[in-house]
């Protein structure tokens, strides 16, 4: 296998064809996988052939491409339909795709969409199923060919865009055609700023909304993906305008009713698109978050006056009412009660970014829409002793900053995340409502802690803990969030922290430290064995495309003797372990040269979109072997990433340095220390171990933790 595989194969073919079968030129033939993929065998992918795979002798990619190029131009509708079906299937193979594209096949397909469909539309009434299939296979072939990234998206005409947009805008369209059309529009917008402008002129939010009101989750997913793409690529000055249109069209309530609260479970791709929409919506707050208040701007100063007016039920006094000193003294007193740091000029409190003007916006929203709660908090604190009052202004500013950090306002959405919160789709002003709930929580926690101004940072840490613990439970509504925060009182947080602290207690005396050092190697060996056992169990990894998310899986596990890595592709995610027999590929551990992570991985250097993605970078690692061969991984989560990088480093005799190893070391070391430091005074320890009890009559009581 060290010499050219294809060269050897061609020599064998030449002998068979010329001397045995007299079939002619062997260059016109090739090997192809006989499975559902039908991929051609080339020098690049020959290492992917599994032992026991069935290969098919067939025409070469160039021959097949030429034949299909001719067949799809047939005058017979049946012949054309069959040819387009074959083309859609073959286009998934990059080797065939390159040959077909070299014949200007993309241009031929776009011409068929631009002009040929008129002829088919005349036959639509009498041949409606045939028309739908013709167009569906044409667009499927186009999508598959473009997904290889061989041809630039900037090459397509306005006429083609109008056709694709027309299929989306039609009220009644074949489901397959609609799905492919939405996928094409999304790719156009994401891959070309010029095409974004053209697509945005042809597609309106109002035309996309009806597709969300159906029951097909795939269509709903592609529709939200197009909306997200338009949102993401829109210039900054257009995004607020687009958000206003989305609100007018009641997009949020339509998604809530037809998608989130649908009886169908939400799949990963839909969850990802909802997460992206959530991130893009919150990112609209970035401009206000990064805008400092101008102390000389009267309109902005009027907002602070409005806060004072609502809280203390006072009207703005005319300039001639009382002396200037008296009015300044009154304002200073009220601003102090409102909890601003700068009592004389509270506008200066909002010059810190983040949160900038966003904090003032939140305060005004709370004062206007939850007026009773706002007045109660302000008056309640203004009547307390100075050292125990909860400063509303300062608290609001710090809380807004905390919420922006928690929701990652201003950061681009991750390619591999589907962490959306249903409750944020239940209100048009969800961020502001979230703030209103949390500022009341902060005031409640302040009272429970009997905090003073010196305890401000401690209170904020407790509130952050309360919010993060409540969010992990994924409440379905803002009311559920309130309920869960209500249960997470300061007393409850103390209990949780005490329980966690007991498991992480650290003793610093010298004898204890010496005992720790003595025990540590034993614990590290225990962790190493656990990591290797987990590698023996194996893990299912997802294959991620740089262009589109795809549900393709592969499995990898270590042999029981720790000498070989077994791996192979899977059709779907397994429910349990995959046996070694089903994993045909093998990599001897002795051949592994190194384990690299993050941006040093080959697949992170190859795929530009993934390379820029922080979350995917943190889950990527590669096993390098031989001279230039590598096995690439993207872990499903941080836990599996740590397990595999630790296990592979252990196999290579290197140190395990992951965060997970440090956490396990602390936990196990703490437990072992506590066991060894138990007070055993006056307790007789037997010299011989107790006898092993007899086996029970049955094992019905055994519980499988997995």
């Amino acid at each position: 296998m060290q010499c050219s595989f294809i060269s050897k194969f061609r020599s064998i073919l030449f002998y068979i064809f010329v001397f045995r079968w007299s079939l002619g030129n062997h260059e016109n033939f090739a090997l192809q996988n006989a499975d559902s993929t039908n991929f051609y065998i080339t020098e690049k992918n020959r290492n992917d052939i599994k032992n026991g795979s069935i290969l098919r002798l067939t025409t070469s990619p160039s021959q097949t491409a030429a034949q299909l190029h001719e067949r799809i131009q047939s005058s017979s509708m049946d012949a054309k339909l069959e040819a387009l079906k074959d083309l859609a299937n073959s286009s998934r193979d990059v080797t065939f795709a390159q040959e077909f594209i070299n014949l200007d096949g993309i241009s031929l397909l776009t011409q068929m969409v631009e002009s040929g469909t008129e002829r088919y539309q005349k036959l639509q009434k009498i041949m409606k199923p045939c028309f739908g299939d013709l167009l569906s296979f044409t667009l499927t072939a186009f999508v598959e060919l473009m997904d290889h990234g061989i041809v630039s998206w900037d090459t397509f005409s306005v006429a083609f865009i109008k056709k694709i947009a027309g299929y989306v805008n039609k009220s009644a369209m074949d489901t397959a055609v609609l799905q492919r059309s939405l996928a094409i529009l999304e790719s156009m917008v994401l891959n070309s700023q010029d095409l974004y402008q053209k697509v945005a002129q042809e597609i309106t939010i109002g035309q996309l909304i009806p597709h969300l009101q159906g029951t097909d989750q795939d269509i709903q997913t592609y529709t939200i993906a197009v909306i997200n793409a338009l949102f993401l690529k829109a210039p900054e000055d257009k995004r607020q305008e687009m958000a206003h249109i989305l609100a007018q069209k009641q997009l949020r309530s339509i998604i809530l009713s037809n998608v989130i609260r649908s009886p169908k479970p939400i799949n990963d791709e839909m969850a990802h698109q909802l997460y992206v929409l959530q991130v893009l919506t919150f990112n609209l707050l970035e401009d206000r978050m990064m805008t400092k208040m101008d102390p000389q701007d009267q309109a902005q100063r009027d907002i602070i006056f409005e806060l004072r007016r609502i809280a203390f039920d006072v009207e703005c006094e005319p300039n001639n009412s009382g002396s200037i000193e008296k009015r300044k003294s009154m304002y200073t007193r009220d601003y102090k009660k409102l909890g601003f740091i700068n009592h004389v000029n509270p506008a200066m409190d909002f010059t810190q970014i983040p949160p900038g003007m966003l904090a003032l916006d939140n305060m005004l929203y709370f004062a206007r829409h939850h007026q009773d709660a706002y007045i109660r908090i302000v008056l309640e604190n203004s009547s307390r002793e100075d050292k125990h009052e909860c400063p509303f202004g300062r608290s609001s500013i710090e809380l807004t900053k905390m919420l922006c950090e928690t929701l990652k306002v201003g950061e681009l959405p991750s390619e591999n995340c589907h962490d959306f919160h249903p409750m944020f789709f239940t209100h048009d002003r969800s961020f502001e409502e979230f703030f209103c709930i949390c500022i009341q929580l902060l005031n409640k926690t302040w009272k429970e802690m009997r905090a003073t101004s010196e305890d401000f940072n401690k209170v904020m840490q407790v509130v952050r803990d309360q919010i993060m613990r409540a969010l992990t439970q994924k409440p379905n509504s803002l009311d559920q969030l309130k309920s869960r925060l209500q249960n997470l009182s300061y007393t409850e947080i103390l209990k949780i922290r005490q329980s966690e602290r007991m498991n992480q207690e650290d003793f610093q005396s010298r004898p204890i430290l010496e005992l720790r050092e003595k025990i540590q190697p034993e614990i590290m060996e225990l962790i190493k064995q656990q990591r290797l056992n987990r590698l023996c169990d194996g893990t299912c990894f997802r294959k991620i495309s740089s262009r589109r998310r795809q549900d393709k899986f592969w499995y990898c596990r270590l042999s029981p003797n720790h000498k070989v890595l077994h791996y192979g592709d899977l059709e779907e995610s397994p429910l349990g372990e995959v046996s070694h027999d089903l994993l045909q590929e093998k990599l001897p551990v002795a051949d592994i040269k190194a384990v690299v992570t993050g941006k040093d991985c080959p697949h992170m250097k190859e795929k530009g979109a993934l390379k820029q993605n922080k979350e995917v970078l943190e889950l990527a690692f590669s096993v390098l072997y031989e001279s230039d061969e590598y096995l690439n991984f993207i872990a499903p989560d941080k836990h599996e990433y740590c397990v595999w990088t630790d296990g592979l480093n252990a196999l290579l005799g290197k140190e395990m340095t992951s965060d997970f190893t440090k956490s396990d070391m602390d936990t196990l070391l703490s437990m072992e220390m506590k066991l060894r430091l138990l007070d055993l005074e006056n307790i007789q320890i037997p010299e011989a171990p107790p006898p092993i009890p007899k086996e029970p009559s049955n094992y019905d009581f055994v519980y499988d933790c997995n």
Side-chain angles (χ1 to χ4, degrees):
M1 295 294 281
Q2 298 300 319
C3 61
S4 172
F5 171 80
I6 299 301
S7 297
K8 274 189 171 184
F9 171 61
R10 284 174 177 163
S11 300
I12 295 169
L13 285 185
F14 181 79
Y15 172 79
I16 294 174
F17 292 168
V18 175
F19 296 104
R20 297 291 300 274
W21 295 344
S22 301
L23 291 178
N25 189 357
H26 66 281
E27 296 284 347
N28 295 333
F29 297 87
L31 282 179
Q32 190 180 52
N33 275 310
D35 57 15
S36 58
T37 63
N38 292 328
F39 286 174
Y40 283 99
I41 307 301
T42 65
E43 193 69 43
K44 289 183 179 179
N45 65 17
R46 63 184 176 85
N47 290 325
D48 296 335
I49 303 174
K50 300 175 182 177
N51 292 333
S53 296
I54 300 174
L55 304 181
R56 179 193 298 121
L57 184 63
T58 186
T59 54
S60 66
S62 58
Q63 286 284 103
T64 305
Q67 291 169 7
L68 283 173
H69 191 274
E70 182 178 348
R71 287 172 56 202
I72 63 175
Q73 300 179 71
S74 171
S75 57
S76 167
M77 293 289 283
D78 290 337
K80 184 187 287 286
L81 178 62
E82 196 62 32
L84 286 169
K85 184 177 180 181
D86 292 342
L87 177 62
N89 186 52
S90 299
S91 297
R92 292 179 299 166
D93 181 14
V94 66
T95 309
F96 168 85
Q98 184 67 69
E99 296 293 341
F100 188 78
I101 289 170
N102 290 342
L103 296 173
D104 210 16
I106 292 284
S107 296
L108 177 59
L109 291 177
T110 55
Q111 288 169 16
M112 290 172 64
V113 172
E114 289 173 22
S115 58
T117 50
E118 272 89 354
R119 183 158 53 90
Y120 303 147
Q121 284 172 336
K122 294 176 183 178
L123 303 172
Q124 187 174 1
K125 290 184 179 179
I126 58 174
M127 302 180 65
K128 188 170 183 179
C130 182
F131 167 75
D133 289 343
L134 275 171
L135 194 51
S136 171
F137 288 132
T138 303
L139 296 179
T140 301
F142 176 84
V143 170
E144 294 291 352
L145 291 167
M146 291 303 298
D147 269 352
H148 295 298
I150 300 170
V151 178
S152 170
W153 283 92
D154 287 309
T155 57
F156 300 108
S157 67
V158 175
F160 179 72
I161 297 170
K162 285 180 178 291
K163 277 291 179 187
I164 299 299
Y167 300 141
V168 173
N169 293 337
K170 283 186 178 178
S171 57
M173 177 53 67
D174 180 82
T175 302
V177 173
L178 178 58
Q179 184 174 316
R180 306 301 187 279
S181 299
L182 288 167
I184 291 170
L185 290 179
E186 182 201 3
S187 295
M188 283 180 173
V189 172
L190 290 176
N191 290 284
S192 169
Q193 189 63 33
D194 184 46
L195 287 184
Y196 156 74
Q197 302 283 355
K198 295 173 182 175
V199 171
Q201 292 173 5
E202 299 296 329
I203 293 289
T204 66
I205 300 300
Q207 292 163 332
L208 293 171
I209 292 294
H211 301 315
L212 293 172
Q213 295 171 321
T215 57
D216 189 316
Q217 191 170 116
D218 288 335
I219 296 296
Q220 291 173 327
T221 302
Y222 278 101
T223 302
I224 297 176
V226 172
I227 293 172
N228 286 339
L230 290 169
F231 217 143
L232 189 62
K233 288 295 181 177
E236 289 187 13
D237 57 330
K238 294 286 186 183
R239 288 181 188 172
Q240 291 290 352
E241 181 183 334
M242 186 175 175
H244 181 65
I245 295 171
L246 293 178
Q248 281 186 329
K249 299 295 182 182
Q250 297 183 326
L251 176 71
R252 177 198 58 76
S253 58
I254 290 171
I255 290 176
L256 182 66
S257 302
N258 295 280
V259 178
I260 296 176
R261 291 180 177 169
S262 167
K264 293 182 181 178
I266 294 177
N267 59 38
D268 285 348
E269 182 61 25
M270 174 60 86
H272 172 71
Q273 295 301 338
L274 291 172
Y275 152 78
V276 172
L277 182 59
Q278 173 185 291
V279 171
L280 295 177
T281 303
F282 284 144
N283 281 355
L284 294 171
L285 304 169
E286 184 183 11
D287 182 54
R288 295 293 284 174
M289 181 182 76
M290 301 306 292
T291 300
K292 292 182 180 181
M293 185 171 184
D294 181 3
Q296 306 306 319
D297 189 319
Q298 187 58 43
Q300 295 179 1
R301 291 171 63 86
D302 286 345
I303 298 176
I304 297 177
F305 292 149
E306 179 72 359
L307 290 173
R308 175 177 174 266
R309 185 194 67 77
I310 296 173
F312 304 114
D313 194 22
V314 295
E315 298 296 336
C316 292
E317 298 83 358
N319 291 333
N320 58 1
S321 62
S323 66
I324 295 175
E325 289 77 13
K326 183 179 178 181
R327 280 190 285 116
K328 279 187 177 179
S329 174
M330 187 166 51
Y331 282 140
T332 300
R333 181 198 66 202
D334 289 347
Y335 291 150
K336 183 179 180 182
K337 289 180 179 179
L338 282 170
F340 290 113
I341 298 173
N342 192 321
H343 305 153
V344 178
N345 186 7
M348 299 303 297
D349 287 13
F350 301 97
T351 55
Q352 174 193 354
I353 54 171
M357 287 295 292
L358 184 59
L360 188 57
D361 294 343
N362 284 339
M363 292 168 70
L364 183 62
Y365 181 91
F366 182 49
R368 285 179 172 171
H369 294 83
H370 300 269
Q371 194 171 111
D372 291 344
Y374 167 69
I375 293 172
R376 186 181 68 252
I377 287 176
V378 173
L379 296 184
E380 194 177 76
N381 285 289
S382 63
S383 63
R384 292 183 194 171
E385 296 179 30
D386 282 351
K387 63 178 183 178
H388 286 294
E389 64 184 11
C390 177
F392 173 73
R394 182 185 177 191
S395 300
S396 297
I397 293 168
E398 289 301 317
L399 179 63
T400 300
K401 183 179 179 182
M402 179 201 296
L403 297 184
C404 289
E405 291 171 355
T406 302
L407 299 176
K408 300 181 180 179
V409 175
E411 294 186 19
L412 287 175
S414 165
E415 175 71 21
N416 194 36
C417 183
H418 42 78
D419 186 26
F420 81 98
H421 293 274
M423 70 176 186
F424 290 131
F425 289 86
T426 62
H427 201 285
D428 289 328
R429 303 288 294 273
S430 58
F431 183 82
E432 290 86 344
E433 288 292 325
F434 187 34
F435 168 84
C436 293
I437 292 170
C438 293
I439 192 66
Q440 293 177 75
L441 168 73
L442 193 154
N443 187 65
K444 172 176 170 285
T445 302
W446 185 283
K447 289 188 291 185
E448 290 173 347
M449 293 178 66
R450 299 185 181 182
T452 63
S453 55
E454 288 80 12
D455 300 320
F456 184 84
N457 290 333
K458 292 180 182 178
V459 175
M460 294 305 297
Q461 289 172 6
V462 173
V463 170
R464 180 190 289 272
D465 199 1
Q466 290 170 315
I467 293 171
M468 295 304 295
R469 291 180 189 276
L471 286 179
T472 55
Q473 299 175 33
K474 290 289 181 70
N476 290 319
S477 66
L478 292 166
D479 286 336
Q480 275 193 17
L481 175 69
K482 284 183 191 176
S483 175
R484 286 172 185 177
L485 287 173
Q486 195 72 26
N487 294 331
L488 284 169
S489 63
Y490 175 57
T491 305
E492 185 64 25
I493 291 292
L494 280 181
K495 289 179 181 177
I496 295 171
R497 286 183 171 182
Q498 186 177 7
S499 175
E500 292 173 348
R501 194 160 45 243
M502 286 179 65
N503 295 328
Q504 299 172 0
E505 199 171 37
D506 192 16
F507 303 99
Q508 298 298 326
S509 64
R510 185 174 176 182
I512 300 298
L513 292 175
E514 290 177 356
L515 180 60
R516 284 173 64 90
E517 289 179 8
K518 182 179 178 182
I519 298 173
Q520 208 157 343
E522 302 173 19
I523 302 296
M524 186 59 73
E525 183 62 27
L526 183 65
I527 295 172
K528 175 183 173 182
Q529 290 304 319
Q530 188 272 340
R531 298 293 191 268
L532 294 177
N533 289 340
R534 280 288 291 106
L535 263 62
C536 290
D537 292 339
T539 301
C540 178
F541 297 92
R542 185 187 296 273
K543 291 186 174 181
I544 299 182
S545 165
S546 63
R547 296 181 61 82
R548 293 192 61 81
R549 292 160 53 87
Q550 297 177 354
D551 289 335
K552 295 183 179 178
F553 304 92
W554 68 288
Y555 200 90
C556 186
R557 64 184 301 182
L558 181 66
S559 63
N561 61 6
H562 300 172
K563 292 186 177 181
V564 178
L565 283 176
H566 298 264
Y567 62 95
D569 292 341
L570 300 175
E571 292 296 326
E572 57 185 14
S573 180
L575 298 177
E577 292 182 14
V578 178
S579 68
H580 295 90
D581 298 336
L582 299 176
L583 304 174
Q584 300 297 327
E585 300 296 326
K586 296 180 182 180
L587 172 60
V589 172
D591 291 348
I592 298 177
K593 304 299 181 186
V595 177
V596 294
T597 61
K599 62 183 180 181
D600 295 326
C601 298
H603 55 320
M604 293 295 102
K605 296 176 182 177
E606 291 172 0
K607 302 183 183 296
L610 292 179
K611 182 180 177 183
Q612 298 172 4
N613 191 298
K614 181 181 176 182
E615 184 173 336
V616 175
L617 273 174
E618 291 175 349
L619 299 177
F621 61 98
S622 298
V623 172
L624 307 184
Y625 60 98
E626 294 184 358
S627 56
D628 57 349
E629 300 289 338
Y630 44 82
L631 189 60
N632 295 322
F633 298 77
I634 296 178
D637 51 48
K638 191 67 176 177
H639 177 272
E640 289 296 324
Y641 170 84
C642 292
V643 165
W644 274 85
T645 51
D646 283 343
L648 292 170
N649 281 323
L651 286 173
L652 298 178
K654 296 182 179 179
E655 186 179 355
M656 299 182 294
T657 57
S658 76
D659 295 337
F660 194 41
T661 293
K662 294 173 185 174
S663 174
D664 282 355
M665 173 61 76
D666 291 341
T667 302
L668 294 172
L669 198 54
S670 175
M671 291 173 60
E672 185 67 20
M673 291 289 292
K674 288 173 182 177
L675 285 172
R676 296 201 182 194
L677 294 173
L678 282 175
D679 185 6
L680 299 178
E681 189 177 355
N682 298 324
I683 297 177
Q684 186 176 0
I685 302 175
E687 295 182 2
I692 299 173
K694 295 180 179 179
E695 288 191 14
S697 57
N698 62 68
Y699 289 87
D700 294 343
F701 59 88
V702 173
Y703 178 74
D704 185 359
C705 295
N706 296 322

